[in-house]
Amino acid sequence: MKALFLLLGAGVLGGTSILLAKLAVGAGLTPLSYLFWQCLGAGGVLLGISVLRRDLPSMAPRYLRYYFVAGLVSLAVPMGVGYFMVPHIGAALAGIFTAMPPLMTYLLSMCVGLERARLGRMLGLMAGFVGVLFLYLPQLSAPDNTLLVYLLIAAIIPVSLAMGNVYRTADWPAGANPIPLAAGMMLASAVYCLGFEMMRDHLVIPSPDQGYIWGIIGVQIVVAALMYMCHFELQRVAGPVYLSQIGYIMALTTLIGGVALFHEALRPELLITLGCVVLGTFLVRPGHKKAASDA
């Protein structure tokens, strides 16, 4: 039951992040600048919690490797590409890419020995994926060449997320706690975003009188900090495959948020999708993982 609540929490918060990003980019922030402020702020919050708990992120080379590899493939690349793509392909269509990582994660986990082939889990993952496909595929009607290019670029998102899911479990430092690891990963991601934006001379620092933008950033920092607390704890207790279903919850949250915030039409396919996601979550039960306990 704990894993289910963590899954729902991380998924809803992740979908909320995408909706907030759409507001922020629409208000004038560049996608990577927004991701930089998100990672810096949320990483700082998690670092503060670590300080209060007297459990600071380790600066040993083993841990630094973990922060920067996880920060690149789990956050900087997929979220950066996602924030760039949303203005071009729309939040609804982008949602399909957040639903692709579970099956990829399962296949990668089998390749590295973290999971064994199990019919029930495969059927559960496919049920969730089919459900989200049923919801989003109508958005793909008659795409032109430009849209196809954007879709090919957006395909980086699920591949990178799946790699991150498996890497964080396979290389989880022995005895490490989730919050310090999450803090290190987010701060490492902030370094990547800052470096890229400085090279392009595109780093956006909102002025003090831009209260609306700072408000969005502030909410995003809280959302991201809570999300990655759930995310890493779920990784610890349930493993990469169960965790990867966050993408399904994110896709549904993005759709529902789009209806509430951006007045998008609520389609009846949502009920079918919701049923598929519930079925998939039931079939893909938490599995034993090696990272936190065996690494």
Side-chain angles (χ1 to χ4, degrees), residues 242-260:
Y242 189 83
L243 172 137
S244 68
Q245 292 181 107
I246 286 174
Y248 298 144
I249 311 300
M250 286 177 64
L252 287 170
T253 302
T254 302
L255 177 72
I256 295 170
V259 172

Side-chain angles (χ1 to χ4, degrees), residues 128-147:
F129 182 58
V130 168
V132 178
L133 280 178
F134 189 87
L135 185 66
Y136 284 104
L137 277 179
Q139 305 292 326
L140 289 170
S141 58
D144 59 24
N145 291 334
T146 302
L147 179 58

